[in-house]
Amino acid sequence: MKTLNRRALGAVALGSAVALALAGCSGSSSSSSTTSPEASTSTDAASGELKDVTLQLQWVAQAQFAGYYAAVAEGFYKDEGLNVTIQEAGTDTVPIDVLAAGDADFAISWVPKVLGSIEQGTKVTDIAQIFERSGTTQISFKNKQIKTAADLKGKKVGSWGYGNEWELFAGMQKAGIDTTKDIDLVQQAFDMNAFLSGDIDAAQAMTYNEYAQVLETKNPDTGKLYTADDLNVINWNDEGTAMLQDAIWADSDKLASDADYADTAVKFIKASIKGWAYVRDHPQEGADIVTEAGSTLGTSHQLWMANEVNKLIWPSTSGVGMINKDAWDQTVSIAKGTKNETGSTIITQDPPETAYSNEYVTKALEELKAEGVDVMGSDFQPQVVTLNEGGN
């Protein structure tokens, strides 16, 4: 663990950079950037010793990405000789397009969303599968009697679409539901308002975000916050249709042709995993780092998110970031064999071998183990987080 002063200095620099970036694009949906404390505080000579690296997120600053922010604030990237800038995403940002255009060195994105881009010719590689488990669920109130995917038949089923629907459709189709006529599909906004008002029987909800939004809301019948006892949850990990989500992506051609870029990839993965190990062991500090970096989420919601994201990473089966072939093959199979509401599949054929590689994460894990970093988290125990109204 680094000194408190070091973290505090990094957190202040992160927060200031985000505030400036947001002020500069107020009213716009374009992405904003967070400059690492190394860039903000070092002298010209010192910053010249660090390699500039840009990471493109798939959304705004929140604890879903706490490991990367912690790696900045705790100086883990600096320890590897990297000066990392974190770019947030806007509503119209496609992380893989930013990476492919050369406007970022690495990007965070869900695997199924990227598989379609790869089939269209985008040359990128999953070099570290940070989330081992899926955080997507379908939730309903107990009185709806929806306990499994099969129970969605005849119901008003919420779906975000935009590439977030595949586990849901795979689960329903696996359960024998004809998704063209056996459900009433409802376009769900990226909030839980329609669900709470009764316009949706079963709504999509990430364990670390929308599920918490419901638990932060007062039940009008009781005047108290909803609890887990009020809800049924369909977990796609249990239903067998989970797909791989947050991964670190790199440029395939540069990995093959640029030895310096390949070396940087190993260093970036290594420092990022150290960041996630820090958040595992210090979830409150991890949540605070993201808040100080400019996230507008409430205090209890941010801690909930850090805790739930930890559950998707820890304990690790083979070491954080290793791409499990069975999980990859399941994701590809669903991407090829599941049709959404338009009758489309994500891909029509298997992706190329370059779509993922364990080469770089293996090197990073070997170095981390030699340094005594726990990359398995076998003893990980999640916290019990109490949510406050509105996530405050």
Side-chain angles (χ1 to χ4, degrees), residues 127-155:
I127 57 170
Q129 187 59 51
I130 300 300
F131 284 13
E132 185 169 321
R133 290 163 280 276
S134 168
T136 310
T137 66
Q138 204 76 11
I139 69 171
S140 59
F141 285 115
K142 286 281 180 70
N143 63 2
K144 299 295 183 180
Q145 296 297 310
I146 302 172
K147 299 179 181 179
T148 69
D151 297 328
L152 292 170
K153 185 175 182 178
K155 303 297 185 180

Side-chain angles (χ1 to χ4, degrees), residues 105-350:
D105 298 289
F106 305 102
I108 308 301
S109 190
W110 287 11
V111 172
K113 294 184 179 183
V114 181
L115 289 177
S117 296
I118 292 175
E119 183 160 283
Q120 295 301 314
T122 303
K123 296 181 179 180
V124 291
T125 302
D126 179 351
I127 57 170
Q129 187 59 51
I130 300 300
F131 284 13
E132 185 169 321
R133 290 163 280 276
S134 168
T136 310
T137 66
Q138 204 76 11
I139 69 171
S140 59
F141 285 115
K142 286 281 180 70
N143 63 2
K144 299 295 183 180
Q145 296 297 310
I146 302 172
K147 299 179 181 179
T148 69
D151 297 328
L152 292 170
K153 185 175 182 178
K155 303 297 185 180
K156 292 180 289 186
V157 179
S159 172
W160 292 316
Y162 301 107
N164 300 287
E165 72 271 26
W166 297 104
E167 291 164 300
L168 166 63
F169 276 79
M172 290 190 291
Q173 290 166 24
K174 181 181 178 182
I177 294 176
D178 184 337
T179 50
T180 66
K181 63 181 182 180
D182 290 344
I183 60 166
D184 181 6
L185 188 67
V186 180
Q187 177 64 52
Q188 182 179 332
F190 288 97
D191 58 43
M192 300 306 285
N193 293 338
F195 173 73
L196 291 166
S197 66
D199 294 333
I200 293 175
D201 294 324
Q204 285 197 296
M206 303 305 295
T207 56
Y208 50 77
N209 195 359
E210 290 79 15
Y211 179 71
Q213 290 177 25
V214 175
L215 301 183
E216 295 162 358
T217 303
K218 278 187 178 179
N219 181 343
D221 295 332
T222 65
K224 298 180 180 179
L225 297 182
Y226 286 110
T227 71
D229 291 336
D230 296 315
L231 302 169
N232 282 326
V233 179
I234 300 174
N235 187 314
W236 301 120
N237 297 287
D238 298 333
E239 294 279 331
T241 61
M243 302 179 83
L244 293 172
Q245 298 188 342
D246 290 33
I248 300 174
W249 295 86
D251 184 299
S252 303
D253 286 344
K254 290 177 67 176
L255 286 173
S257 63
D258 186 339
D260 181 61
Y261 179 74
D263 181 61
T264 298
V266 174
K267 294 176 178 178
F268 181 81
I269 295 169
K270 178 183 175 183
S272 297
I273 292 174
K274 287 180 75 173
W276 283 113
Y278 180 88
V279 175
R280 175 196 65 206
D281 298 336
H282 309 87
Q284 182 64 68
E285 289 88 341
D288 291 343
I289 286 172
V290 181
T291 298
E292 291 161 356
S295 176
T296 59
L297 295 177
T299 303
S300 68
H301 189 102
Q302 197 81 266
L303 179 58
W304 175 282
M305 184 177 287
N307 190 51
E308 292 299 319
V309 166
N310 271 334
K311 294 179 186 179
L312 304 181
I313 301 171
W314 312 101
S316 173
T317 302
S318 310
V320 174
M322 288 293 290
I323 299 131
N324 180 280
K325 187 177 185 303
D326 290 340
W328 177 272
D329 288 346
Q330 176 170 298
T331 299
V332 169
S333 176
I334 292 171
K336 290 170 56 182
T338 302
K339 293 184 178 181
N340 65 6
E341 69 275 16
T342 67
S344 301
T345 61
I346 300 177
I347 54 177
T348 60
Q349 57 189 353
D350 288 339

Side-chain angles (χ1 to χ4, degrees), residues 44-64:
D44 289 343
S47 67
E49 299 172 357
L50 300 175
K51 182 177 182 60
D52 290 334
V53 170
T54 299
L55 171 66
Q56 176 64 58
L57 300 183
Q58 60 183 352
W59 193 231
V60 297
Q62 56 183 23
Q64 177 184 357

Side-chain angles (χ1 to χ4, degrees), residues 31-36 52-59 64-72 77 82-89 93 95 98-99 103-109 127 130 247-250 268-269 272 276:
S31 62
S32 59
S33 300
T34 297
T35 304
S36 70
D52 290 334
V53 170
T54 299
L55 171 66
Q56 176 64 58
L57 300 183
Q58 60 183 352
W59 193 231
Q64 177 184 357
F65 313 111
Y68 310 108
Y69 283 99
V72 171
Y77 290 128
L82 306 179
N83 171 46
V84 172
T85 296
I86 298 177
Q87 289 185 165
E88 299 177 36
T93 304
V98 176
L99 173 63
D103 295 325
D105 298 289
F106 305 102
I108 308 301
S109 190
I127 57 170
I130 300 300
I248 300 174
W249 295 86
F268 181 81
I269 295 169
S272 297
W276 283 113

